[in-house]
Amino acid sequence: MIKGFLSNYFKGIAAKYLSSVETHPENSNQHEFNGIAALKTILGESKYTFSSRILYLGSDENDIISTECKLTWYDARESHPSRSEYRLYFQTNPVLEQADIGDLLIIGLTSDDTLFIVIAKANTTYESQLRWLFALDEIGERFNVRKIEDKNDFQLNFSIRYIFDELGIEIKEKADDFLDLLIQRFEDNFPTTHDFSDFARQTSDPITIFDDPDTTIVNWIDHEEMLFRTFEKHLVSQKLDEGFNDVDEFISYSLSIQNRRKSRAGFALENHLEYLFLQMNVDYSRGKMTENRSKPDFIFPGISQYQDNNFPNNNLTMLGVKSTCKDRWRQVLSEASKIKKKHLFTLEPSISCNQTDEMIANNLQLVLPESLHNSYQRSQRIWLINLAEFINIVKIRQKNS
């Protein structure tokens, strides 16, 4: 099994907040980033033109812009005997036209010596996640630069891979030592998500579920993700070798891959949670209809108690499950109207304070694996609960029923 590290993708990164002259062309005609002397640490001192991908991340997933361009790194005073003035020149492009003062700018030197530039709108979840991903504590209008090595390097996990997917960075991890077993078990077709999740649990490292359900669920999801990418690569390679009859068939196949990736993660998480609830003797109903034809992911202790008007509402619990929240967390607010305080389990790291404040205002409690709590601000962590705590809440209510 080959697991990736951050250094497999980036040699170094630089981060700052954008200033007025970098974002408002009416104030300045410059096409350069300011405060860049520190970039010599990762870009060197020789003139070089980089192929670059530039990405703008706005308020939500519908507010994303991507483009490619060339950036030139050079010393504007190269001929001066004692002075240097380094600049990073860029052409006008739609991403930087969208950027505003205070947006987070990150320039990453990739492992293949291209530049990956991402701008995240200020005070958004995207900004929060990028700051967590690259451990960016102090940022100003001059670049904070670091090489990705030693203490700045770390192994990728599900949550980091999720951010990479959002950035459009291809994940190189694979579990080739399981490929023969995958082919033997499923031949040349993807199984149902239920069967694939079951296979992932059977082949993951042994874990004591009762002692640490938080670590258990993360390990299962991480392992399934590796198996999925390995098997998908195998099946896609086979299909590419066979070829396509026409462009329409190719496009249709490509869309089916994307749709499978999007739908699988959420179902896999539900599958693993359900198995864990079963093993821990937690009573529940999964996907049963309540009011207005809504179907909460889990109702505790069950749908029959929910429908029983004599059953006390304060002993009922609802859990929505979303591997990533984005703006979709609001969907659970309209589910199971008898339950005033909703719970939502997610694997999304570092959701912005603006979003979690809104969740609190809407009486929604976020549940995350304990290992993800540190990706949130200190003020947010007081409010978060982990999976073990949630299970304890449900079992106490179950006992009192």
Side-chain angles (χ1 to χ4, degrees), residues 194-292:
H194 181 275
D195 289 346
F196 203 80
S197 295
D198 186 54
F199 177 81
R201 289 192 298 271
Q202 292 173 14
T203 56
S204 64
D205 294 333
I207 302 173
T208 304
I209 296 174
F210 300 96
D211 292 342
D212 194 351
D214 288 84
T215 300
T216 298
I217 198 75
V218 169
N219 287 355
W220 283 344
I221 287 292
D222 254 345
H223 186 59
E224 178 165 349
E225 183 72 12
M226 290 281 282
L227 294 175
F228 174 82
R229 290 182 184 276
T230 300
F231 199 42
E232 180 188 62
K233 183 177 180 180
H234 165 72
L235 295 181
V236 171
S237 295
Q238 282 189 328
K239 181 60 180 175
L240 291 175
D241 289 341
E242 294 173 7
F244 300 88
N245 294 322
D246 51 38
V247 173
D248 288 341
E249 183 185 358
F250 171 77
I251 293 174
S252 176
Y253 184 72
S254 177
L255 289 173
S256 70
I257 293 173
Q258 296 300 320
N259 290 334
R260 181 172 59 211
R261 287 182 175 183
K262 290 177 182 178
S263 64
R264 180 199 58 86
F267 284 121
L269 185 54
E270 288 182 43
N271 292 335
H272 293 310
L273 284 169
E274 180 175 29
Y275 183 81
L276 196 149
F277 294 149
L278 283 169
Q279 295 302 305
M280 299 190 75
N281 296 316
V282 173
D283 294 335
Y284 69 91
S285 292
R286 177 180 176 183
K288 298 299 183 180
M289 189 177 299
T290 59
E291 305 85 359
N292 302 317

Side-chain angles (χ1 to χ4, degrees), residues 29 35 38 45 50 92 105 124 160 207 243 245 268 323 337 362 364 369 383 400:
N29 290 322
E45 299 184 6
F50 290 94
T92 300
L105 165 68
T124 61
I160 295 173
I207 302 173
N245 294 322
S323 56
S337 60
N362 282 279
L364 176 69
W383 162 70
N400 292 336

Side-chain angles (χ1 to χ4, degrees), residues 93-109:
N93 64 77
V95 170
L96 289 165
E97 288 176 349
Q98 188 71 23
D100 205 350
I101 301 170
D103 289 350
L104 176 65
L105 165 68
I106 294 179
I107 298 177
L109 178 64

Side-chain angles (χ1 to χ4, degrees), residues 178-191:
F178 285 95
L179 182 56
D180 287 343
L181 192 57
L182 283 162
I183 295 171
Q184 178 183 340
R185 178 75 170 266
F186 304 119
E187 297 181 347
D188 291 329
N189 294 290
F190 259 110

Side-chain angles (χ1 to χ4, degrees), residues 74 126 148 152 209 360:
Y74 68 104
Y126 287 127
I148 305 300
N152 293 323
I209 296 174
I360 294 170

Side-chain angles (χ1 to χ4, degrees), residues 288-296 299 303 306 335-337:
K288 298 299 183 180
M289 189 177 299
T290 59
E291 305 85 359
N292 302 317
R293 302 184 64 83
S294 66
K295 292 183 178 181
I299 291 284
I303 192 64
Y306 184 86
E335 298 174 349
S337 60

